[in-house]
Amino acid sequence: RIGRSAMSLYRHIDGKEDLTELMYDTALGELDLDAIPPGNWRGRLAQLCAELRTLYLKHPWLSRLGQRPALGPNSLRQLEFAFGIVDGLGLEIDGMLDVASTALQFTQGFVQGELSRAEAQTRTGMDDAAWREYLTPYIQQLLEQNPGGYFQRIILDAEDFPDPDAVFERRLGMVLDGIAVRIGQAG
């Protein structure tokens, strides 16, 4: 789009790793941290995770990056913001790191699962309903081989097509519940 070859970028940066770090940091700049109002740590951390999930879904490549600490201005801005949320909970710096990282890494992993399912749909040309129809004979065989097992309960009783937003909120709530118990905070 800028009218230059990809290789010409390497006159300005040292290598692909630097380029991906710059891309990662630039995308993190889209987080509107000012939109997260003051409040309790749990609500603010949940909102930060929701904003990050939205960003990861907007830029599917983004959730696969950031495995090493990035030190760009937007990465540092997010780090400072996340630590500001958990400051005041009476935790040492390692405890603050545990709380913030646990919630943020849950979000990253959840989105990677969402993106993997979307990639499978693209690759196979089958949405969830078509995939289930395709698997029905095999699933019936498994149910006959293991009647009354947990797998049967999942197939027969679990919600067929749960809303991913609701699932994310529910599971993030479980993570935050566990954190609250661990650090002795009601929320």
Side-chain angles (χ1 to χ4, degrees):
R1 282 195 271 166
I2 62 174
R4 301 282 183 250
S5 72
M7 292 307 294
S8 69
L9 290 172
Y10 292 109
R11 282 183 267 187
H12 304 284
I13 57 172
D14 289 333
K16 183 179 179 182
E17 196 64 32
D18 289 341
L19 177 61
T20 57
E21 286 296 319
L22 288 168
M23 291 169 53
Y24 178 78
D25 194 71
T26 299
L28 283 181
E30 295 177 28
L31 282 174
D32 185 8
L33 301 178
D34 295 331
I36 301 173
N40 69 31
W41 71 270
R42 183 186 169 120
R44 296 187 81 215
L45 193 54
Q47 209 166 353
L48 174 59
C49 289
E51 293 292 326
L52 194 56
R53 177 176 172 246
T54 299
L55 185 66
Y56 284 153
L57 292 173
K58 179 180 176 185
H59 301 292
W61 52 271
L62 188 61
S63 72
R64 291 188 295 271
L65 300 178
Q67 302 304 318
R68 293 182 178 166
L71 301 176
N74 294 313
S75 299
L76 290 173
R77 185 175 131 257
Q78 179 198 355
L79 178 139
E80 292 291 332
F81 188 84
F83 273 66
I85 289 172
V86 299
D87 191 18
L89 296 177
L91 302 171
E92 298 292 327
I93 195 70
D94 286 332
M96 293 170 67
L97 183 61
D98 288 344
V99 170
S101 295
T102 297
L104 297 175
Q105 288 172 353
F106 163 79
T107 302
Q108 188 173 26
F110 187 90
V111 170
Q112 286 174 349
E114 288 182 289
L115 294 173
S116 293
R117 283 187 294 284
E119 288 172 13
Q121 287 180 11
T122 300
R123 190 178 59 254
T124 64
M126 290 187 266
D127 64 9
D128 286 340
W131 180 249
R132 288 179 186 196
E133 186 176 326
Y134 171 77
L135 287 177
T136 295
Y138 180 61
I139 289 173
Q140 288 174 336
Q141 179 184 357
L142 291 175
L143 292 174
E144 290 169 9
Q145 292 172 350
N146 187 23
Y150 291 111
F151 181 71
Q152 180 179 12
R153 289 180 60 195
I154 292 168
I155 296 300
L156 298 178
D157 299 335
E159 188 177 352
D160 286 335
F161 299 100
D163 173 43
D165 296 333
V167 173
F168 175 75
E169 286 181 29
R170 182 177 68 239
R171 292 180 182 171
L172 178 60
M174 295 168 75
V175 169
L176 296 175
D177 287 346
I179 290 171
V181 168
R182 177 70 181 215
I183 65 174
Q185 294 285 324

